[in-house]
Amino acid sequence: MLRSVLGGGLLIAALCAGADARTLRIASANDPQSMDPHALSLQYQSRVVTQIYEGLVNRSRSFKLEPSLAESWERAAPLVWRFRLRPGVSFHDGTPFTADDAVFSIERAMSRTSQRANQLRGIAGVKKLDARTIEIRTAETDAVLPEKLWLVAMMSKAWAEKNKVTQPQDYNARQETFSVRNANGTGPFVLERYEADARTVLKANPRWWGRGTPFGGGNLDEAVFVVIQSDATRLAALASKQVDLVLDPPLQDLPRLKADPSIKLVSSADIGTQYLALDQHRAELPDSGVSGRNPFKDRRVRLAVWQAIDTDLIVRQVLRGQGMSTGSAVSALVDGHVAALDARPPYDPAAARALLKQAGYADGFRVTLDCVSVSVRAAACQAMASMLEKVGIKVNFVPAPAATFFPKVTQAISSFMEFGWAPGSDAWFVLNTLLRTNDGMYSGAFNGGRYSNPKYDALIDAVRVEPDLTRRRALVGEVLKLIRDDVAIIPLYRRQHTWAMRPDVDLVQWSNDVAELRWVTVR
């Protein structure tokens, strides 16, 4: 596999084969893990799969919601939304995109094994009205239905039936299906080859409906996503022109890269947030050394963890200033954000030790911290482990690849975990997914600590159905305050996304760390 031979500054010669002025070679440490568009709700996958598959809606260059495979929509009745489909759209195999495919795709995305089901909570049914019109019914009024359909891919019903993939891949069970390594979308790029943990090759779709319109505008013939886990090797590949774009350059190298005239940097504030989630559901915390108890069920312990971590120091030293500490679960780029909640509780190890003593853990306890093995995140986790040890919490830090880490989160088999979430511009989806009581289907899919609070559930459900924008924002503010007061999760920091590339590459950098290839030009 590619990652096993990319050490010592060497790259597989195949990366250069066929490269020309219209090929973009993109390096990062992460693999998309699956081509099934409904199986996962992870950024590493969506930044690749959304080039192949499209939804009814998408986002503009400025990250605003815009039409895609639905050219328009309207609320036809209090519980009914009607979507008019774009004419003349074909899948990559040449078959036309129809209302039957749209109905099938939404129903597939609502399946048990779909990680997209979370964002579709409240949909009561979907039906075809005619060849170009579908109707979505909701159980209650739903103020954000069009927003919910972002990233919900439209698939060919006939292709899925033919290849026995009418249900999404069961990612947690590591299921292997035809849709894991094959794809048939309507998007601007066609999947040519997916080699897990190595590379993904995409070819421009000559029949894409958006070609030559404001929805497109790029000039790529080919895009190659390359997995290079070594920070140094990714930069060496960029310097030697074996790749054109690095999505995750090492932060310590940014000053040098900025001074290099052969490299261009682009940066944007992250719409997402990094968190710590804590096991709040098991009666006993595994391997904690505390029999019959789970320290994280006690709010005082959770607050002690928060106050024991100096996130300002982590931002300065680990992130090299490329970020900011936060006390809020969502950023200022998300509608409903409350600026007053950005200030986190003060870093205070003495107060943390006092809280642990009050909670009955004067001698501390042990816990395993799970973290993705991407270098900067692993380094941040290592720093947090050292800080917690100073107040008596002995942390066994376990870095792991994303394919191992995320099933622990979705199955809630981790005691303590660090991860991030990059939402759209609406707060409901991320808050419903991260902290609403997990129901095994439509809520709490990434509620790794299985936090459960009836008051929180009622508030987040009210956010979903509230049509008045002012009242809705007020409800989001109540939710965010509850998260903070209850220490439901521990917000850590927001990163500054910086990409390094050749100067002849022009692109749009979204705040969720995704580059839409439809807008990329290579001069």
Side-chain angles (χ1 to χ4, degrees), residues 93-113:
D93 65 1
T95 59
F97 166 65
T98 69
D100 292 320
D101 299 307
V103 170
F104 163 76
S105 298
I106 294 171
E107 290 177 342
R108 187 181 191 270
M110 293 171 65
S111 301
R112 180 188 61 82
T113 54

Side-chain angles (χ1 to χ4, degrees), residues 177-389:
T177 70
F178 187 79
S179 59
V180 172
R181 300 180 188 278
N182 299 274
N184 180 36
T186 62
F189 288 84
V190 179
L191 177 67
E192 181 174 276
R193 183 164 63 259
Y194 169 50
E195 301 167 17
D197 294 316
R199 64 176 180 165
T200 305
V201 181
L202 308 181
K203 296 287 189 181
N205 174 13
R207 297 194 301 267
W208 182 48
W209 61 268
R211 185 174 290 273
T213 76
F215 292 100
N219 69 355
L220 293 182
D221 297 316
E222 180 182 59
V224 183
F225 288 87
V226 187
V227 180
I228 307 178
Q229 294 192 335
S230 164
D231 287 348
T233 307
R234 285 198 301 280
L235 285 192
L238 182 63
S240 61
K241 298 184 179 180
Q242 294 177 348
V243 301
D244 309 299
L245 167 63
V246 173
L247 296 177
D248 41 14
L251 300 180
Q252 68 270 17
D253 289 294
L254 292 181
R256 177 178 63 80
L257 294 172
K258 187 175 182 180
D260 186 341
S262 68
I263 300 294
K264 180 170 71 175
L265 300 181
V266 296
S267 295
S268 68
D270 190 0
I271 197 172
T273 304
Q274 298 299 123
Y275 311 95
L276 285 174
L278 313 92
D279 177 349
Q280 297 174 58
H281 70 109
R282 286 181 282 195
E284 181 175 313
L285 195 66
D287 305 317
S288 66
V290 181
S291 178
R293 288 188 292 170
N294 180 345
F296 290 148
K297 283 180 171 285
D298 192 316
R299 178 192 176 276
R300 292 170 295 184
V301 173
R302 302 195 297 272
L303 182 57
V305 169
W306 203 351
Q307 293 205 259
I309 296 172
D310 188 348
T311 48
D312 288 335
L313 182 62
I314 291 172
V315 168
R316 285 197 308 272
Q317 294 193 354
V318 179
L319 273 63
R320 307 299 176 104
Q322 297 296 302
M324 60 177 291
S325 296
T326 186
S328 172
V330 300
S331 82
L333 299 175
V334 177
D335 194 57
H337 166 263
V338 178
L341 298 178
D342 272 332
R344 51 152 287 156
Y347 166 61
D348 192 338
R353 285 191 291 269
L355 284 166
L356 290 172
K357 184 176 180 179
Q358 291 171 22
Y361 301 100
D363 296 327
F365 57 91
R366 296 190 301 271
V367 67
T368 296
L369 172 61
D370 289 300
C371 181
V372 176
S373 54
V374 173
S375 58
V376 66
R377 291 177 61 181
C381 286
Q382 187 68 68
M384 288 186 282
S386 298
M387 293 169 182
L388 290 169
E389 181 117 17

Side-chain angles (χ1 to χ4, degrees), residues 38-236:
H38 301 146
L40 295 178
S41 182
L42 300 178
Q43 179 210 56
Y44 305 147
Q45 189 220 30
S46 63
R47 65 165 41 144
V48 177
V49 170
T50 53
Q51 319 299 336
I52 303 165
Y53 287 100
E54 298 173 294
L56 297 180
V57 302
N58 205 343
R59 294 194 178 274
S60 68
R61 290 172 180 258
S62 60
F63 209 60
K64 303 296 185 184
L65 202 70
E66 70 174 9
S68 184
L69 295 187
E71 60 180 4
S72 64
W73 54 85
E74 63 177 347
R75 180 177 254 155
L79 303 182
V80 177
W81 288 81
R82 196 164 289 157
F83 291 80
R84 186 72 171 160
L85 306 183
R86 188 175 299 279
V89 176
S90 296
F91 288 100
H92 296 157
D93 65 1
T95 59
F97 166 65
T98 69
D100 292 320
D101 299 307
V103 170
F104 163 76
S105 298
I106 294 171
E107 290 177 342
R108 187 181 191 270
M110 293 171 65
S111 301
R112 180 188 61 82
T113 54
S114 167
Q115 289 186 6
R116 291 292 170 198
N118 259 258
Q119 68 194 72
L120 300 178
R121 180 181 178 87
I123 291 181
V126 54
K127 69 177 183 179
K128 168 185 173 181
L129 295 185
D130 59 45
R132 284 187 53 209
T133 312
I134 66 167
E135 191 173 86
I136 297 178
R137 291 188 170 272
T138 59
E140 302 167 276
T141 57
D142 196 319
V144 292
L145 182 66
E147 285 272 356
K148 287 181 175 182
L149 296 173
W150 181 49
L151 302 177
V152 176
M154 295 294 102
M155 297 181 69
S156 164
K157 181 180 180 182
W159 182 85
E161 290 173 342
K162 175 185 175 182
N163 294 295
K164 299 180 173 59
V165 289
T166 55
Q167 292 296 306
Q169 170 206 14
D170 188 338
Y171 174 72
N172 286 339
R174 300 182 183 275
Q175 183 185 23
E176 184 71 24
T177 70
F178 187 79
S179 59
V180 172
R181 300 180 188 278
N182 299 274
N184 180 36
T186 62
F189 288 84
V190 179
L191 177 67
E192 181 174 276
R193 183 164 63 259
Y194 169 50
E195 301 167 17
D197 294 316
R199 64 176 180 165
T200 305
V201 181
L202 308 181
K203 296 287 189 181
N205 174 13
R207 297 194 301 267
W208 182 48
W209 61 268
R211 185 174 290 273
T213 76
F215 292 100
N219 69 355
L220 293 182
D221 297 316
E222 180 182 59
V224 183
F225 288 87
V226 187
V227 180
I228 307 178
Q229 294 192 335
S230 164
D231 287 348
T233 307
R234 285 198 301 280
L235 285 192

